[in-house]
Amino acid sequence: MRRLALIVSLTLWALPAEAQFSTRPQAQPTLRTPTAPVQTQPAATPDGDLAFGAYQRGHFLTAFLEATKRIETTPDPEAMTLIAELYANGYGVPQDDAKAISWYELAAQRGDRNALFALGMSYIEGRAGRPRDPNQARPFFEQAAAKGHRSATYNLGIMTLSGQGVPADPSGAARWFQAAADLGSGDAQYAYGAMLKDGNGVDRDLRAAARYMRAAADQDITEAMIEYAIMLFNGQGTPRDEMAAAHYMRRAAFRGNPAAMNRFARMLATGRGVTADPVLAAQWHLLGRQLGANDDWLTDFVLKLDTVQRAAAERGLREWVK
């Protein structure tokens, strides 16, 4: 299945290394549809279920056959949703959006939350000849959210914030994000943490923002890693801890975020939270610059290295990008 994704732009201003890291200015989340499927929460299934077990192992034809047998015995909505997923993605059977929608509808009529979510997404994505229409998607998301579907709940936050299907309402969006965050959605934890940090649609609360941001960072949300690292470095809503800040910033850098590469490079250059390492700092900056993140302070830092250090940094970079 798919979900809508929250993108909050992060601006890390170029400051002298001895200054605090900049927090980003207040930014509005924007809506985008991902280019590839992302898995949402799985349906609850009995232990030893052959159809779902086969699906999880990638034995899709077996999953299809077992789900079909299960439906012939009892009108099981979870098995119907599984068959819909197989048709939607072309797993083990020819890809067929129309058949997928038919199976989702049968499962949704029997109350399956994943099927309700998928029908909502069919209107977001315009699948099976359906119009792209958030007004028609929203009721399906609301029904799925009422059943505790975290991705549907998160999507309602995005739609409410950006005014899709309803007037834009930051306070209403914050309530949806909080609900999804408390269901365990990392994207929602990040979104709600950002709103708490900015006081956008909710009272500003840095301590709560730090808690939600850490939860999202620990679920590998890259933007949350950066935000939480900044909060740790500056002591915003959480005790100041430069070593922990370096840990999260390094994780974000290794996930390919060029802004995090430069932030981590500054920490290496100045020994803030990590042992100073000018060559490694230069490597991270050079990689971040290749990916489009400029930092005048770091550029000047690299230029001031001796020729041996610069050569070592360039050689290390070449090893990284082989």
Side-chain angles (χ1 to χ4, degrees):
M1 298 182 189
R2 301 184 182 186
R3 64 183 175 184
L4 307 184
L6 177 76
I7 302 298
V8 175
S9 61
L10 294 164
T11 303
L12 301 176
W13 300 103
L15 297 178
E18 66 272 11
Q20 288 188 328
F21 284 173
S22 163
T23 57
R24 58 174 168 73
Q26 181 170 322
Q28 291 296 324
T30 58
L31 180 71
R32 72 177 175 94
T33 302
T35 56
V38 249
Q39 205 160 12
T40 183
Q41 66 211 70
T45 59
D47 291 340
D49 184 282
L50 296 176
F52 286 88
Y55 181 88
Q56 290 167 355
R57 294 192 301 274
H59 300 164
F60 299 124
L61 181 56
T62 300
F64 179 82
L65 295 173
E66 292 294 336
T68 301
K69 286 195 294 185
R70 185 166 171 174
I71 292 167
E72 290 171 349
T73 303
T74 178
D76 180 10
E78 292 173 356
M80 293 174 182
T81 298
L82 177 57
I83 290 177
E85 279 289 288
L86 294 169
Y87 276 120
N89 295 290
Y91 293 159
V93 293
Q95 196 277 336
D96 190 323
D97 277 341
K99 286 184 178 180
I101 293 296
S102 294
W103 281 106
Y104 283 135
E105 287 174 340
L106 287 172
Q109 290 166 12
R110 291 162 175 78
D112 186 77
R113 64 183 183 179
N114 286 317
L116 289 162
F117 174 75
L119 289 173
M121 287 304 302
S122 72
Y123 284 106
I124 294 297
E125 298 172 329
R127 300 187 76 177
R130 292 187 163 185
R132 293 179 181 268
D133 187 348
N135 288 300
Q136 295 192 63
R138 190 176 183 93
F140 290 106
F141 288 151
E142 288 175 342
Q143 292 177 68
K147 295 175 178 293
H149 195 289
R150 60 176 176 260
S151 296
T153 308
Y154 169 72
N155 285 1
L156 288 166
I158 287 288
M159 295 171 75
T160 303
L161 187 66
S162 56
Q164 296 197 43
V166 292
D169 177 8
S171 295
R175 289 191 293 273
W176 283 118
F177 286 142
Q178 183 180 15
D182 292 342
L183 287 169
S185 166
D187 289 315
Q189 289 162 352
Y190 169 57
Y192 187 55
M195 297 185 85
L196 286 164
K197 188 175 181 182
D198 292 337
N200 180 20
V202 66
D203 290 340
R204 191 167 189 254
D205 186 337
L206 290 179
R207 291 181 67 182
R211 289 198 305 273
Y212 279 98
M213 207 65 76
R214 177 174 182 173
D218 288 343
Q219 290 207 61
D220 291 333
I221 305 299
T222 303
E223 294 85 354
M225 294 177 195
I226 298 171
E227 288 283 354
Y228 187 55
I230 292 169
M231 297 182 82
L232 285 164
F233 191 90
N234 293 336
Q236 292 179 300
T238 186
R240 185 168 183 159
D241 187 337
E242 293 187 4
M243 288 183 66
H247 165 75
Y248 281 99
M249 198 66 77
R250 180 178 181 271
R251 284 178 59 195
F254 269 107
R255 290 179 67 86
N257 185 285
M261 293 174 186
N262 276 338
R263 295 302 89 191
F264 186 54
R266 285 193 177 218
M267 301 182 88
L268 288 162
T270 58
R272 302 288 293 271
V274 291
T275 302
D277 188 331
V279 172
L280 192 56
Q283 284 179 220
W284 276 115
H285 169 58
L286 292 172
L287 181 57
R289 190 170 67 183
Q290 281 191 10
L291 295 174
N294 295 317
D295 186 311
D296 291 340
W297 187 89
L298 283 168
T299 297
D300 185 61
F301 172 82
V302 173
L303 288 173
K304 290 178 179 176
L305 295 178
D306 61 44
T307 55
V308 174
Q309 289 175 315
R310 283 202 303 274
E314 291 166 358
R315 185 169 58 252
L317 178 61
R318 287 194 297 272
E319 290 295 321
W320 279 358
V321 298
K322 274 186 179 179

